[in-house]
Amino acid sequence: MQDLEQYEHDDNGTVFRDVILLALLGFVTIVVLLLPHLNPAAQGTASTDPPGNVVVEVRWPDAIDADVDLWIQAPDDVPVGYANLGGAVFNLLRDDRGHFEDRSNLNYEMAYSRDIPAGEYTVNLHLYDRDETDGAIPVEVAVGIKGPAQSRLDYIVRKHVSLAHLDEELTVARFELTEEGRLVPGSFNQLPQRLRNVPRTQ
């Protein structure tokens, strides 16, 4: 009699263990099936292209403690620079003051446009401050255009210029663009045009 009771007791234990094991197996199966949906693969790749349609970049040697300012003007808009960080078309994204409060010691400024209005664009540099012992300051300027149907920048200007004395303002480039972002043939020139201290109400 005891053997029969022991057998029935063991049979109940086996059934209980089987039910628990099946429930656990079902749970693991559900988790495995849901895993791909919890963290779906990224659709495509992230773009590394900078925003903006017209991008102006200015760079000078990191070892030189100088404040070189970028000034730019779009058609029918106010000049944009450190004293006026944004207009209807352009925004100055970085005003570099040399090594002053600059942890990286990288010397660069940049501006982006939000559109490509047709007309003339002007790009100037101004030497706001410098250490007189550095001599002439070499500056690299690049202007890139990304039209409405483009996914990358096409550079229309890559220039190396020098700023020799304090408060010098130099017109690096003047050019005309179409609404599609194409350079108008024969429009490129460097005729001086002052942008700094031009009244904001034009």
Side-chain angles (χ1 to χ4, degrees), residues 12-105:
N12 289 339
T14 302
V15 170
F16 179 75
R17 284 192 300 271
D18 286 348
V19 170
I20 293 296
L21 187 60
L22 287 172
L24 182 61
L25 186 60
F27 177 75
V28 170
T29 303
I30 291 172
V31 169
V32 169
L33 291 174
L34 288 178
L35 276 177
H37 302 287
L38 295 177
N39 189 15
Q43 300 297 320
T45 56
S47 173
T48 56
D49 292 326
N53 297 104
V54 182
V55 179
V56 183
E57 303 165 274
V58 175
R59 191 88 164 84
W60 64 100
D62 299 332
I64 296 179
D65 185 11
D67 186 350
V68 176
D69 289 319
L70 169 64
W71 283 89
I72 187 163
Q73 186 172 24
D76 301 319
D77 199 8
V78 296
V80 170
Y82 73 88
N84 178 30
L85 298 177
V89 178
F90 273 101
N91 281 99
L92 182 69
L93 296 188
R94 177 179 168 88
D95 175 27
D96 195 307
R97 299 172 64 188
H99 294 172
F100 179 73
E101 294 183 352
D102 189 351
R103 291 185 175 184
S104 70
N105 284 341

Side-chain angles (χ1 to χ4, degrees), residues 145-160:
I145 309 294
K146 184 168 62 176
Q150 293 177 270
S151 60
R152 64 180 181 81
L153 288 173
D154 288 330
Y155 285 92
I156 62 168
V157 176
R158 285 188 185 272
K159 294 195 63 138
H160 294 271

